[in-house]
Amino acid sequence: MAEVSTTLATRRLTIAEALREAIAEEMRRDPCVFCIGEDIAIPGGWGGAFTVTLDLENEFPDRMLNTPIAELGFFGAAVGAAMMGMRPIADVQYGDFLFLAMDQIVNNAAKMRYMSGGTVKVPLVMRAPIGATGRGSQHAQSMERCFTGVPGLKVVAVSNAYDAKGLLKAAVRDDNPVLIFEHKLLYGSKGARAESQAVDATSDIPENEYVVPLDKAALRRSGSHVTILGWLLMSHYAMSAAESLAAEGIEAEVIDVRSLSPIDYNTIGTSVEKTGRVVIVEEGPRTGGVSAELAAGITERFGEYLLAPVSRVASADVPVPFSPPLEDAYRPTSQRIIAAVQKLLSR
Amino acid sequence: MEIEVKMPDLSTTGGELTVLKWLIAVGGSVKRGDVLFEVETDKATMDVESAHAGVLKKQLVEPNATVLPGDAIAIIEVSQVRPAMAAVAASVPPVEANRQTTSQPSESVSGVNPNTLAASSPAPPRAGMFAENRAKRAENATTTRSQNEQRAAAPRMLPAEISHDQLAAYNPSFLLELYTRMVRIREFEEGVKYLFLQGSMPGTIHQCQGQEATAVGVCAALRDDDFITSTFRGHGHALAKGLSMDEILLELYGAASGCCKGKGGSMHVGNYDKGMIPAIAIVGGGIPLAAGMALAFKMQKRDQVVACFFGDGATSEGAFHEGLTLAAIWDLPAIFVCENNLYGASTRVNQVTRLNDLADHANSYGITGRTVFGNDVLAVYEATKNAVDQCRSGRGPVLLELLTYRRTGHSRRDACNYQADVEKQAWFDRDPIRLLGDALTKHCDVDATQLKEIRDEIVAQFEVAVERARSAPLPSEDDLITDVFA
């Protein structure tokens, strides 16, 4: 084994490190790439809320733009700069703050190409950390659903370091606005920025350059009895549930949906045709979620292969609570995923 | 040719309307823009103008009869049908013919010394429950509410002519070009207004008659490769930045060959190659964008600038504050052009700010701010030229407040009942086209015939453009899903 990994020349990186490396590589490759956001490029600071841009100002002093606390303003500025040929990477400290920038993202970034009859390009990358992490209701939401239904936006979610690097590089090179959702418990942030409930999402990152396409789901585990769909933290919980189910003789196929808009129905469909049973796991509230879109999309496309109705495991239709037992009760767990699979197979 | 006049939907509910009285008798001659009859809606009494010139043949409803939008109201025998306008059956009389009632100087307004009000001290605060607080505040604040109220009379402080001294600095051909551009906007908007009233044009419109000098004065100070951002009231900006009447009309008709392939429409006209991104119809939404465009120019070490148009209403938006903050801290080459036409939709500016001059917002950002008479195209041009120079030399951004007035409704079928007659008159006396036209005939070697020829040529061009736009191919269903992604 040691021999193989030496040959492949990989390094084990966290998501935060992989994103940082991707940003640095893209900024070296293309002088039009720059970062814009709050609390970035501060010597002695944190590199954004989760260390992703730590120390990048040393190499790129003119292209790390620290902003006032003005999400509407700097997301709009990023859109404007993108239209004039730059390739900004704009980030919010918490996904919840995207709502402050909603007008610029939804009304300008997403629509500019269409409204201009295909003459204006908006090569913009937006990054947003999400997920319930003991911070109460306003630094915790999973709001992918608010953007996946916006035509003109591409939306991806990264659940490991390999994807994080490859998807970010692909997003920077794409000529459209791409929104990347990241999860606070998956960053692998260290020191004072570490998260107590963190899950290991490190990957072996090759030395050679690569990108991960923005429109492909990832098969994480093969199985024949049931397909479990998840993304971000939920794809990890789904994997853990699948391992437990295997002990019972149930082989679950796990797909990291990864590309939330557009959705890769080819990969998903191949699995559904094989298993005939689907459980979708989403960290956001059940009502109006991406899982609802997936359920409808699967039923429309592959209904004749389904042996049972599509099942969902999602959070309660309440704001994200603070108290640890409430937060545990709120969010899907491996146990709830296992129970949903067992129920589906018993039908 | 006989044309049936249909009842426009002037109500807010689409419900019944009452025809109160006829102002043109059967057999009487009608000019385009003449009031045919008065109608009572659920909100107000309004005049209905004729979109046609000719003779009123029949009145199809009696006074006090109730009708529904779309009902036939009258028959007009149309005279002088020009080929391009045949479908509309309206001739386009020269602007001045239309303006006779408004272009006469008003004694009561013009007689006021321009400096009287400007020099007067603030009136004492009104007594009332908070009189004491208010008095204290009035002492401290740079502007009081009573000063603010004087703003209702602001036009009286503004000059009613362009002086010889101002003109002397310019080549007459440049002045005539400015005049031509303003007339192009006026005639375009007037023509579109009637096409719209006729129901031949889809969608809604927001027009800029009366504000021509702001668009023309600003854009004349820009280079072709400079950019502008605009608003839902963007036809004038587009024409001033060099878009053709053709490409805009095609867009307004939803044609596949419009400047945005029929995917933008009236509120989103633009042409990237001519330095205008699609207009932004969310109030204030273009301000952060402009900061970002200017940021790109600065990072790329290009010496282009951005002029960002918005109305007085936008200064209350968070986007204004955030966009100007960013532009200020990064010294960006952006000129923020506030066209203060005194109304955000129907709400008067003094109801939504304590500032007397909106340019004073500049103080909050530590940048240059100037208030300029926006109906004087030369004053606008000069102020913008200075702002452009400042921006190109790295000393931007600049906030310009241009005082102007819209002669038409906020959007379609707005009768402007919230604008006081005295205010309207004062501003109509300071119509930007009239100001420059009068100055040209008075101080330069230009006669009225020459100005009329300019207008006639534009009207003829407009008619040809209308003809072309009306018969241009519309997008196909296949076009629906293209241009979403690059």
Side-chain angles (χ1 to χ4, degrees):
Chain A
M1 285 301 285
E3 226 177 70
V4 173
S5 66
T6 311
T7 320
L8 290 175
T10 60
R11 294 146 301 130
R12 196 79 189 166
L13 296 186
T14 64
I15 286 183
E17 290 163 344
L19 289 169
R20 191 181 309 137
E21 191 167 282
I23 293 169
E25 285 179 13
E26 290 306 296
M27 288 176 79
R28 277 175 215 132
R29 184 185 61 78
D30 183 348
C32 292
V33 180
F34 73 97
C35 291
I36 182 166
E38 293 156 356
D39 292 304
I40 67 173
I42 302 286
W46 322 312
F50 297 94
T51 71
V52 170
T53 53
L54 194 65
D55 294 336
L56 288 179
E57 67 275 12
N58 295 333
E59 184 175 351
F60 309 103
D62 300 329
R63 287 193 278 157
M64 298 296 294
L65 300 188
N66 186 41
T67 70
I69 301 171
E71 288 82 2
L72 175 66
F74 78 78
F75 267 68
V79 177
M83 287 192 295
M84 296 296 116
M86 298 299 284
R87 290 185 173 270
I89 302 172
D91 78 284
V92 280
Q93 302 201 330
Y94 291 86
D96 312 69
F97 309 164
L98 285 173
F99 295 126
L100 289 159
M102 211 63 175
D103 175 50
Q104 292 297 334
I105 298 170
V106 176
N107 283 322
N108 287 348
K111 295 177 179 40
M112 199 55 77
R113 174 114 193 130
Y114 197 74
M115 294 196 308
S116 70
T119 56
V120 175
K121 282 194 297 197
V122 185
L124 165 67
V125 178
M126 297 169 279
R127 298 180 35 242
I130 63 173
T133 53
R135 290 169 165 91
S137 292
Q138 295 180 342
H139 287 58
Q141 294 160 85
S142 292
M143 75 295 289
E144 309 95 292
R145 62 193 59 205
C146 300
F147 299 92
T148 51
V150 178
L153 288 184
K154 296 184 179 183
V155 182
V156 297
V158 300
S159 60
N160 64 43
Y162 183 91
D163 282 3
K165 182 172 178 187
L167 285 169
L168 190 137
K169 286 168 74 85
V172 169
R173 296 173 192 197
D174 196 277
D175 279 340
N176 300 288
V178 181
L179 176 52
I180 301 178
F181 284 108
E182 301 156 7
H183 200 289
K184 292 177 285 241
L185 297 184
L186 300 180
Y187 275 125
S189 307
K190 291 168 184 165
R193 310 307 294 175
E195 296 288 325
S196 63
Q197 297 169 287
V199 170
D200 180 9
T202 56
S203 307
D204 291 325
I205 305 292
E207 290 292 348
N208 57 308
E209 179 156 85
Y210 69 95
V211 293
V212 172
L214 297 171
D215 57 355
K216 294 281 182 292
L219 181 66
R220 300 290 188 214
R221 184 184 195 282
S222 290
S224 55
H225 298 130
V226 62
T227 301
I228 308 178
L229 302 178
W231 59 96
L232 293 168
L233 182 64
M234 294 302 109
S235 71
H236 291 266
Y237 286 6
M239 285 298 283
S240 151
E243 296 308 322
S244 302
L245 287 163
E248 300 174 23
I250 298 170
E251 290 302 331
E253 185 142 299
V254 178
I255 292 175
D256 180 350
V257 180
R258 198 166 65 178
S259 169
L260 304 183
S261 185
I263 290 168
D264 175 12
Y265 281 111
N266 287 333
T267 302
I268 292 169
T270 304
S271 180
V272 173
E273 288 172 16
K274 180 167 68 172
T275 64
R277 290 184 172 84
V278 183
V279 174
I280 309 169
V281 194
E282 174 166 17
E283 181 169 340
R286 171 177 298 269
T287 302
V290 180
S291 56
E293 181 58 38
L294 280 163
I298 289 167
T299 307
E300 284 168 352
R301 290 169 175 79
F302 314 109
E304 70 270 30
Y305 296 97
L306 290 175
L307 303 172
V310 175
S311 171
R312 288 189 289 159
V313 182
S315 292
D317 286 325
V318 300
V320 181
F322 165 67
S323 180
L326 292 179
E327 193 179 273
D328 289 345
Y330 168 81
R331 188 164 58 193
T333 59
S334 294
Q335 288 69 36
R336 285 171 61 199
I337 299 168
I338 291 166
V341 169
Q342 288 167 336
K343 190 175 168 195
L344 192 66
L345 286 168
S346 71
R347 288 178 71 101
Chain B
M1 181 179 169
E2 289 192 349
I3 289 286
E4 199 174 69
V5 177
K6 293 204 162 75
M7 186 68 210
D9 186 4
L10 299 166
S11 71
T12 49
T13 57
E16 282 187 344
L17 306 130
T18 306
V19 174
L20 291 178
K21 68 173 176 188
W22 286 91
L23 283 99
I24 306 271
V26 173
S29 72
V30 183
K31 290 198 302 294
R32 197 180 71 158
D34 280 354
V35 178
L36 284 175
F37 55 90
E38 283 179 7
V39 66
E40 186 176 38
T41 73
D42 50 344
K43 294 278 185 210
T45 300
M46 294 172 159
D47 296 336
V48 174
E49 292 177 24
S50 176
H52 312 288
V55 175
L56 185 66
K57 297 286 282 185
K58 282 183 196 159
Q59 297 171 346
L60 299 175
V61 291
E62 297 292 324
N64 298 318
T66 54
V67 292
L68 286 169
D71 285 355
I73 300 290
I75 305 277
I76 291 179
E77 173 77 40
V78 173
S79 54
Q80 276 189 302
V81 180
R82 299 189 199 183
M85 302 290 274
V88 190
S91 66
V92 184
V95 170
E96 276 177 5
N98 260 354
R99 302 277 174 289
Q100 269 170 4
T101 52
T102 55
S103 60
Q104 301 300 322
S106 153
E107 281 289 320
S108 58
V109 175
S110 306
V112 173
N113 179 341
N115 297 318
T116 311
L117 285 170
S120 68
S121 57
R126 289 169 298 194
M129 197 186 288
F130 302 108
E132 196 183 336
N133 285 345
R134 200 184 300 207
K136 276 185 192 152
R137 232 169 31 202
E139 275 173 16
N140 298 330
T142 52
T143 305
T144 65
R145 199 170 285 279
S146 52
Q147 260 181 319
N148 199 339
E149 279 157 6
Q150 285 180 17
R151 189 166 192 144
R156 303 181 206 191
M157 291 184 267
L158 299 168
E161 64 174 15
I162 297 175
S163 71
H164 177 263
D165 287 353
Q166 276 177 283
L167 290 182
Y170 296 97
N171 186 323
S173 65
F174 175 75
L175 297 172
L176 278 172
E177 177 59 27
L178 293 182
Y179 183 83
T180 305
R181 290 182 190 188
M182 290 200 291
V183 172
R184 187 176 295 126
I185 295 172
R186 174 69 54 88
E187 292 305 326
F188 180 91
E189 291 287 61
E190 283 293 295
V192 163
K193 174 173 146 189
Y194 289 109
L195 291 169
F196 191 85
L197 282 175
Q198 275 301 302
S200 87
M201 189 170 269
T204 186
I205 43 167
H206 301 79
Q207 302 202 286
C208 67
Q209 291 97 320
Q211 304 184 185
E212 292 86 353
T214 58
V216 169
V218 168
C219 291
L222 301 177
R223 292 195 317 230
D224 287 350
D225 66 342
D226 290 328
F227 268 81
I228 64 168
T229 72
S230 176
T231 70
F232 50 83
R233 200 179 307 287
H235 304 168
H237 303 145
L239 288 166
K241 192 63 178 70
L243 276 75
S244 67
M245 290 199 288
D246 281 88
E247 64 187 312
I248 302 171
L249 268 175
L250 285 162
E251 188 63 29
L252 298 191
Y253 273 106
S257 51
C259 56
C260 301
K261 295 193 198 165
K263 287 172 174 167
S266 170
M267 290 202 271
H268 303 299
V269 293
N271 183 329
Y272 191 87
D273 292 335
K274 293 179 178 174
M276 179 183 186
I277 63 164
I280 306 297
I282 307 293
V283 173
I287 299 174
L289 281 185
M293 292 159 73
L295 172 65
F297 296 154
K298 182 169 178 173
M299 292 182 82
Q300 294 160 351
K301 299 187 168 49
R302 288 147 67 181
D303 72 344
Q304 287 151 282
V305 304
V306 183
C308 171
F309 288 99
F310 53 89
D312 43 285
T315 60
S316 302
E317 291 278 5
F320 173 82
H321 176 61
E322 298 192 19
L324 264 71
T325 297
L326 293 178
I329 60 170
W330 292 329
D331 304 326
L332 298 180
I335 301 143
F336 295 100
V337 182
C338 177
E339 293 175 304
N340 181 359
N341 66 14
L342 306 184
Y343 293 88
S346 64
T347 301
R348 205 170 189 290
V349 65
N350 60 310
Q351 292 180 280
V352 295
T353 179
R354 291 268 313 257
L355 292 182
N356 193 33
D357 291 329
L358 296 179
D360 286 349
H361 279 292
N363 297 332
S364 309
Y365 309 106
I367 64 172
T368 307
R370 276 195 67 195
T371 298
V372 177
F373 178 33
N375 280 12
D376 177 345
V377 69
L378 293 177
V380 174
Y381 172 77
E382 280 161 24
T384 310
K385 192 90 181 47
N386 287 336
V388 167
D389 292 346
Q390 202 173 324
C391 285
R392 287 207 214 284
S393 63
R395 292 175 293 124
V398 175
L399 172 63
L400 290 183
E401 177 193 17
L402 307 180
L403 296 173
T404 186
Y405 201 74
R406 102 175 116 66
R407 298 187 69 127
T408 180
H410 163 69
S411 64
R412 58 178 182 169
R413 296 167 190 153
D414 167 15
C416 297
N417 290 329
Y418 45 84
Q419 292 178 337
D421 286 344
V422 63
E423 177 185 276
K424 281 194 229 185
Q425 190 59 57
W427 280 97
F428 293 177
D429 291 342
R430 290 157 178 80
D431 181 272
I433 295 174
R434 191 177 147 249
L435 285 183
L436 184 60
D438 285 356
L440 282 168
T441 50
K442 193 170 166 190
H443 303 301
C444 300
D445 194 16
V446 174
D447 62 30
T449 318
Q450 215 175 328
L451 299 183
K452 185 175 180 305
E453 280 167 10
I454 288 173
R455 183 179 309 112
D456 289 348
E457 192 182 332
I458 287 166
V459 169
Q461 288 165 354
F462 179 78
E463 289 183 11
V464 172
V466 169
E467 174 106 342
R468 212 174 289 157
R470 290 170 66 94
S471 57
L474 295 170
S476 72
E477 258 183 54
D478 295 343
D479 297 322
L480 174 69
I481 57 167
T482 59
D483 301 321
V484 179
F485 290 107

